[in-house]
Amino acid sequence: MLKIDTHAHILPPQWPDLARKYGDDRFPVMVRSGGHHRIYKDGKFFREVWKNAFDAEYRIQEYRQHGVDVQVVSTVPVLFSYWAKPNQALELHRALNEHTAEICRNYPQHYAGIGTVPLQSPRLAIEEMERCVEQLGLQGVQIGSHCNKWNLDASELFPFFEAAADLGAAILVHPWDMMGTDTMPKYWLPWLVGMPAEQSRAACSLIFGGVLERLPSLRVAFAHGGGSFPFTIGRIEHGFKMRPDLVATDNARNPREYFSRLFFDSCVHDPQALRYLLDVVGYDRVMLGTDYPFPLGEQEPGSGIEALGLGDRDRARLFHGAALEWLGLPLSRFTRES
Ligand code: CO
């Protein structure tokens, strides 16, 4: 059975050193020495990455061992650089998108790609998204769970979502710049506590801000199973009903109704949580996503779905059906003879 991993990150082996070019060490840089590849940000070590972060062929061999056929690759959120001057960030996004497109061109049966855009300038973000889809052959773009002071309902961002709907571009919402980071220095809490909350912030903003209501054709997927959003929908819906004066100011529709329009990846690390996610959002809304190749990702891609012992129809939907619908691609894109 065709298996498409919708949440997999890739890096180029090298990208423009904007920290040096603009004298701003907030730009992440890749430092290669002695066989190590280390990302530095703010002048400090951020993360070491290995061959499976950037070597397209090595990755294929690795994920094939788990029966995965295709990865939908996106950049690593530390590179979003929404804080930067838009034109400087655009240089980085363009280089990343060209790398993603090259891999998809070279291995069309093993990779599809979604691009990255300087969301801090909705105008440049729209232009780069159009380039991604119309010229580079990517399926859409990945965006952060918020952009500086803007949540995803910001009126400034609406033209971007409108353009995505018009283009038929798939949107992947990925947590980043986690809330509370300054007050949670220990225990990796921004990743363990902040990331799920970021996804709920993004989903609630798109729903309560009326973005999804106004753009019925917009296709949005949430990484990490939607974070805490599906798991706290009872509370969110209760708040919507009890205090519409606070919650329903911009959209009168019950938030639960939007599950049937959204996509969620399966990366929740708990069979009971995955079962709950399927029950609450619907068996047709969830797709394989692993956060490959990082340690917080699903280490055996697809094992969480397999552990549920579902029938072939549900497995097909989770392993590729929902992903193809989100991406706007036919099954034949990955099944034709090479
Ligand atoms: Co991720």
Side-chain angles (χ1 to χ4, degrees), residues 129-238:
M129 173 170 61
E130 288 173 349
R131 192 177 81 98
C132 283
V133 172
E134 291 173 342
Q135 295 176 34
L136 299 180
L138 304 182
Q139 257 43 66
V141 293
Q142 173 184 233
I143 60 170
S145 45
H146 67 278
C147 178
N148 303 326
K149 298 279 186 208
W150 295 335
N151 280 321
L152 298 186
D153 64 314
S155 58
E156 290 87 346
L157 290 175
F158 187 76
F160 167 79
F161 290 115
E162 197 171 34
D166 289 347
L167 264 180
I171 300 285
L172 175 64
V173 178
H174 195 290
W176 97 299
D177 187 25
M178 281 72 82
M179 62 178 88
T181 293
D182 290 347
T183 55
M184 300 192 294
K186 292 171 72 178
Y187 314 127
W188 214 15
L189 294 190
W191 271 255
L192 303 185
V193 176
M195 278 194 160
E198 282 292 332
Q199 292 300 74
S200 192
R201 164 201 200 137
C204 287
S205 297
L206 287 174
I207 290 170
F208 292 134
V211 178
L212 298 175
E213 188 63 24
R214 292 164 70 191
L215 300 171
S217 65
L218 185 65
R219 304 195 306 276
V220 182
F222 289 89
H224 306 165
S228 55
F229 175 63
F231 299 89
T232 53
I233 187 62
R235 180 176 181 83
I236 292 165
E237 182 183 42
H238 186 65

Side-chain angles (χ1 to χ4, degrees), residues 7 9 77 142 174-175 223-224 291 294:
H7 180 182
H9 299 292
Q142 173 184 233
H174 195 290
H224 306 165
D291 220 355
F294 296 126

Side-chain angles (χ1 to χ4, degrees), residues 254-265:
N254 185 317
R256 198 183 283 271
E257 291 183 36
Y258 291 92
F259 282 142
S260 62
R261 273 212 35 201
L262 298 170
F263 297 91
F264 302 86
D265 81 13

